[in-house]
């Protein structure tokens, strides 16, 4: 394909009459947590993936057990930390969060979706949606975070790109 020279555009009567203007794509500003250099995992995004099926023993007669993976993502470096969670209960999530902070240090801000992306998903994920929306779960998580002075941010519903990762 041949490249059009500027001289060709200026000699074209139609092009001169239309007076084409050049447009540039404008990129939106990134969150300050994404661009400011900080300690690793100081600003973290959290989400679940799964279910995954694990075998608690190598014996043949043992059946598989359903588990989930909590995914912690550093906002500034995109480093990931994975933690296997046995179920979707509040205690399991808080245990995973405490384990994460014991390994990686305390966080100052956590960003996560507000579980509306799970609405209408498979039956297994409906349980997770009900858990995240329950007042008891939110109250217990807020109490735990208040002790460590951690701010929790929910991104806009149905907008996973607002989390930035």
């Amino acid at each position: 394909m041949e490249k059009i020279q500027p001289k060709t555009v200026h000699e074209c009567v139609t092009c001169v009459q239309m007076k084409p203007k050049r447009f540039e794509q404008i990129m939106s500003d990134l969150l300050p947590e994404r661009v400011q250099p900080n300690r690793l995992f100081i600003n973290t995004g959290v989400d679940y993936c799964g279910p995954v099926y694990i075998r608690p023993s190598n014996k043949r007669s043992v059946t598989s057990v359903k588990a989930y993976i909590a995914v912690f993502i550093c906002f500034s470096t995109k480093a990931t930390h994975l933690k296997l969670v046995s179920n979707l209960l509040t205690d399991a999530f808080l245990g995973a969060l405490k384990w994460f902070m014991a390994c990686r240090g305390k966080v100052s801000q956590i960003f996560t979706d507000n579980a509306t992306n799970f609405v209408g998903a498979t039956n297994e994920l409906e349980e997770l949606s009900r858990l995240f929306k329950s007042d008891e779960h939110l109250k217990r998580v807020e109490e735990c975070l208040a002790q460590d002075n951690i701010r929790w941010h929910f991104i806009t519903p149905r907008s996973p790109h607002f989390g930035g990762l």
Side-chain angles (χ1 to χ4, degrees):
M1 185 169 172
E2 140 182 30
K3 187 175 177 183
I4 299 174
Q5 300 294 326
K7 182 179 177 186
T8 307
V9 174
H10 291 297
E11 290 177 357
C12 174
V13 176
T14 306
C15 293
V16 172
Q17 288 175 348
M18 295 303 223
K19 298 180 184 174
K21 294 181 182 177
R22 257 183 127 172
F23 290 103
E24 292 185 21
Q25 183 71 25
I26 299 173
M27 187 173 146
S28 66
D29 296 332
L30 293 174
L31 296 171
E33 292 82 11
R34 295 271 317 272
V35 294
Q36 293 173 347
N38 284 319
R39 179 181 57 81
L40 194 62
F41 289 106
I42 196 81
N43 299 307
T44 302
V46 181
D47 204 357
Y48 274 110
C49 71
V52 295
Y53 294 92
I54 59 172
R55 290 181 53 186
S57 175
N58 287 335
K59 295 181 182 177
R60 289 184 184 190
S61 62
V62 176
T63 59
S64 298
V65 178
K66 189 189 314 184
Y68 295 88
I69 299 173
V71 181
F72 298 91
I73 302 172
C74 175
F75 258 44
S76 57
T77 63
K78 294 185 181 68
T80 58
H81 180 97
L82 305 176
K83 176 69 179 142
L84 189 66
V85 181
S86 60
N87 54 39
L88 298 175
L89 298 177
T90 303
D91 291 332
F93 172 72
L94 292 176
L97 181 63
K98 288 179 181 180
W99 181 275
F100 167 74
M101 289 194 302
C103 293
R104 302 293 184 171
K106 290 195 176 185
V107 298
S108 67
Q109 298 186 75
I110 295 178
F111 294 84
T112 186
D113 56 15
N114 56 5
T116 56
N117 60 328
F118 299 128
V119 175
T122 62
N123 293 334
E124 295 166 357
L125 292 179
E126 286 178 12
E127 182 181 353
L128 180 60
S129 176
R130 283 192 300 274
L131 169 72
F132 275 18
K133 290 179 181 178
S134 71
D135 292 334
E136 178 187 346
H137 171 75
L138 292 175
K139 182 179 178 186
R140 292 188 62 200
V141 170
E142 286 175 4
E143 288 173 0
C144 178
L145 296 177
Q147 291 173 356
D148 293 329
N149 197 20
I150 299 171
R151 289 182 289 164
W152 190 286
H153 301 280
F154 290 106
I155 62 173
T156 307
R158 294 179 178 32
S159 303
H161 59 282
F162 278 21
L165 301 173

